[in-house]
Amino acid sequence: MAGRQAATCRVQVYLTDPKIAAGLTREARSGKMPLSQAAGRAIARGLAQRPQADPEDRLLNLERSLRDHMRSTARDMQIVQELLIEVARAFFLRLPDAVIDEDPTVKAAVDQRIERLLDATAARIVAGAGKARDARTSPGAADLGPAD
């Protein structure tokens, strides 16, 4: 069966999109084949149920990965900013420091307040960014004192 040739069909196609023509030329060059064979392979890939990846797909996957990374980085930055605002608010409300700050009971209470602060920050982020940052309406706000 090695000597058997596949039936060939002659088709004439006019390409009007320069991107398609450039991609086809690039594929022919990279595969070291005539342009007509590159076109035949491209058509076969297009008709296949699950086409094989080409170099353009790798670039598209890289772009998607970068977009996902940017989204998660933006989310993480939002979390840090919200937390910083809450910490600054609590910090400035409690100035000046006192000798009682070294008491273990006070330290335990501070640790508990920090946990509530983290919960309040997470709740605010889940509720939606860009909303008013009114500490009086957030969970755990009673621990922080007045917002103004």
Side-chain angles (χ1 to χ4, degrees):
M1 297 230 183
R4 186 175 164 192
Q5 280 191 344
T8 59
C9 176
R10 182 180 174 105
V11 177
Q12 189 170 4
V13 178
Y14 297 97
L15 301 174
T16 56
D17 188 355
K19 287 183 180 181
I20 294 175
L24 208 51
T25 304
R26 186 174 47 246
E27 187 172 332
R29 235 182 298 132
S30 69
K32 297 179 183 174
M33 64 181 86
L35 189 62
S36 60
Q37 284 182 351
R41 288 175 106 187
I43 291 169
R45 272 197 319 271
L47 294 174
Q49 294 267 339
R50 191 162 185 225
Q52 297 176 355
D54 63 354
E56 299 298 319
D57 284 346
R58 286 183 284 170
L59 187 59
L60 185 62
N61 288 336
L62 181 63
E63 183 182 5
R64 285 182 186 141
S65 297
L66 181 60
R67 185 176 47 238
D68 293 344
H69 174 71
M70 287 172 24
R71 242 186 247 131
S72 65
T73 302
R75 183 200 64 228
D76 293 346
M77 200 60 207
Q78 179 186 3
I79 291 169
V80 169
Q81 288 173 344
E82 290 285 341
L83 190 57
L84 182 62
I85 289 168
E86 290 296 327
V87 168
R89 183 177 288 126
F91 178 77
F92 290 124
L93 285 172
R94 299 299 178 208
L95 286 179
D97 293 337
V99 176
I100 195 148
D101 291 344
E102 297 302 317
D103 184 40
T105 307
V106 171
K107 285 185 176 184
V110 167
D111 289 341
Q112 187 179 20
R113 290 174 67 188
I114 288 172
E115 287 298 321
R116 284 194 294 245
L117 179 128
L118 292 171
D119 291 341
T121 302
R124 183 176 291 122
I125 290 169
V126 168
K131 298 202 176 180
R133 297 172 203 239
D134 188 1
R136 287 168 278 181
T137 60
S138 68
D143 302 327
L144 301 175
D148 295 322

